[in-house]
Amino acid sequence: MINKALRILIADTQHFYRMKIERLFNELDYYRVAPVQSLAELLTLVDYGCEPFDVVVINAELAGGALDLPGFLLDNPQVRHALVYKVPSTTMQMAEGFALGNLQISHAALPNAQAITQLMTWVDRPRLEQDEALRRLAYA
């Protein structure tokens, strides 16, 4: 069952890309989406938000080297899950679809329907199911 209360933040400088990604979420019945166009807007919403974002989808180029995106997203209690796309393969030596905790890395220019569906399958699983999956990983 879809949790329609999930908070989603999309960050990209291109309006067309933000809208395209938002439509992918809408097709999955997620409508609580906040699109932003700059790193300053993203930081303001994340730092001063009253409640955490369940999903942050961000173009790696938005940071422009001014911010360590993986470090920021992994250690931030205001971000539960994140997908960073358009990551240059020379910058981060990680395989396509690499995931670490709540962070997924993609070299794709734009997330497609499959990537968003896969992300939301992980994010919107019942909490007990996620805890069990993490326990199994810890003992593997």
Side-chain angles (χ1 to χ4, degrees):
M1 182 171 203
I2 292 174
N3 180 355
K4 294 186 183 234
L6 292 178
R7 298 180 73 221
I8 301 167
L9 179 64
I10 301 169
D12 196 307
T13 56
Q14 297 294 318
H15 176 73
F16 175 75
Y17 293 157
R18 291 191 309 270
M19 296 308 299
K20 188 168 182 156
I21 296 168
E22 184 172 354
R23 275 190 224 112
L24 292 173
F25 281 106
N26 294 163
E27 288 172 8
L28 296 172
D29 290 333
Y30 296 101
Y31 297 97
R32 202 169 173 201
V33 179
V36 297
Q37 66 180 354
S38 70
L39 183 62
E41 289 176 327
L42 171 108
L43 294 174
T44 300
L45 287 176
V46 170
D47 288 342
Y48 298 108
C50 297
E51 56 184 287
F53 282 96
D54 297 290
V55 178
V56 173
V57 178
I58 181 171
N59 181 337
E61 293 178 346
L62 189 77
L67 177 68
D68 171 26
L69 277 178
F72 173 76
L73 296 168
L74 281 171
D75 295 332
N76 197 319
Q78 290 293 94
V79 177
R80 291 195 174 127
H81 300 275
L83 170 62
V84 181
Y85 63 95
K86 207 168 184 179
V87 175
S89 55
T90 56
T91 304
M92 301 179 92
Q93 299 299 322
M94 299 175 186
E96 180 67 29
F98 173 83
L100 175 64
N102 67 338
L103 175 65
Q104 292 184 14
I105 302 293
S106 173
H107 302 299
L110 197 63
N112 60 17
Q114 180 184 1
I116 297 298
T117 301
Q118 190 174 34
L119 173 67
M120 295 314 291
T121 299
W122 172 255
V123 171
D124 207 4
R125 290 194 311 179
R127 186 93 220 138
L128 292 174
E129 195 177 319
Q130 282 185 25
D131 292 344
E132 180 61 31
L134 290 174
R135 266 194 299 277
R136 275 188 259 132
L137 284 174
Y139 293 112

